[in-house]
Amino acid sequence: MHSDIPKGAQIVKREQNITEGVIWKQILIFFFPILMGTFFQQMYNTVDTIIVGRFVGTQALAAVGATDWIYWLILWTVGGLTGAFATFVSRSFGEENYKDMNKYIASSVVLCAIIGGLLTVLGLTCAKPLLLLLNTPADILQSAVTYLSIMVLGTPVVTGYNMAGSILRALGDGKSPMIAMVIAGAGGSSIGAGSSSGAGAGAMQEAGEAAGQYGQQATPETFLIGLLVAAI
């Protein structure tokens, strides 16, 4: 049986098996990195808002703010789906059924690729209609459409990050997603500050801000997918 266990799964199981020992301590050890990852993500969002308001201006800040609920709807959809996929991975991992676990991971990759593509197309198609539906002021409408469209193009990247992070947490590894988020927050803030401060007017402002977002998204995805490949 042991020979059928993927090398990475052995490592995760040996170091972060939360089904053994004092349960409440194991849960806290597992939960704390998730809490810290969320904290760093919120901290990045706060710093990001300060950067936009200071270096780009109130109009750009308003345009970015107008897209929040639409973009968060995409993020919540992706997060819910990837979390659901990871449930099957977690169950098979706990049962030490590693053959099914790898099948679930492979299925998650395929489904996430499809979902990421569909959400991207849907988001690009519906960006302006949804902003109009939310009564976005005319003076920031075009900037909001530009920013939202650029962000929606990164949906496959966000989906990949959430998929890798959810699966690693399903294997008992809550630290790696936290480390990835810390790195992404620092890198994204630096890229956003440089891009936003150097951007011109209009669409260039939104493009500069989106560059920081892409920096935040692409860095942890690459890091976590690398770890996920090692774990299977």
Side-chain angles (χ1 to χ4, degrees):
M1 180 69 179
H2 184 75
S3 61
D4 296 331
I5 302 177
K7 181 179 178 182
Q10 294 178 30
I11 295 173
V12 174
K13 183 179 180 182
R14 183 175 66 248
E15 295 183 353
Q16 304 187 43
N17 189 346
I18 62 175
T19 63
E20 299 176 355
V22 181
I23 298 299
W24 68 268
K25 288 183 179 180
Q26 298 293 341
I27 291 176
L28 285 180
I29 292 172
F30 178 70
F31 170 72
F32 183 72
I34 298 176
L35 178 65
M36 291 303 297
T38 303
F39 169 77
F40 279 106
Q41 183 177 24
Q42 293 303 316
M43 185 175 69
Y44 167 79
N45 291 335
T46 301
V47 173
D48 188 52
T49 301
I50 295 172
I51 290 172
V52 175
R54 181 173 180 179
F55 291 105
V56 185
T58 56
Q59 286 288 97
L61 182 59
V64 171
T67 67
D68 273 356
W69 285 109
I70 299 174
Y71 190 63
W72 275 107
L73 177 61
I74 295 174
L75 294 182
W76 290 331
T77 302
V78 169
L81 289 172
T82 53
F85 297 156
T87 301
F88 294 97
V89 176
S90 178
R91 185 179 65 184
S92 58
F93 180 68
E95 294 172 348
E96 298 187 358
N97 186 348
Y98 301 107
K99 182 177 180 180
D100 281 355
M101 182 190 78
N102 284 339
K103 288 182 179 179
Y104 288 134
I105 292 175
S107 298
S108 298
V109 172
V110 174
L111 289 172
C112 284
I114 295 172
I115 291 168
L118 290 175
L119 286 176
T120 300
V121 173
L122 184 63
L124 291 173
T125 304
C126 299
K128 188 170 183 178
L130 286 174
L131 287 168
L132 289 171
L133 184 64
L134 292 175
N135 295 319
T136 304
D139 58 335
I140 63 170
L141 177 61
Q142 189 53 51
S143 294
V145 171
T146 301
Y147 177 80
L148 182 57
S149 298
I150 294 173
M151 292 304 300
V152 167
L153 285 172
T155 301
V157 179
V158 175
T159 306
Y161 165 76
N162 280 274
M163 176 202 69
S166 295
I167 292 175
L168 285 171
R169 282 189 286 267
L171 299 177
D173 182 3
K175 294 179 182 178
S176 296
M178 180 196 71
I179 294 171
M181 185 55 64
V182 172
I183 296 172
S189 295
S190 300
I191 295 172
S195 301
S196 297
S197 61
M204 287 299 296
Q205 295 176 336
E206 287 71 41
E209 171 56 22
Q213 295 282 359
Y214 278 131
Q216 187 203 24
Q217 295 164 4
T219 303
E221 184 200 19
T222 303
F223 176 70
L224 292 183
I225 287 179
L227 289 176
L228 182 58
V229 170
I232 59 176

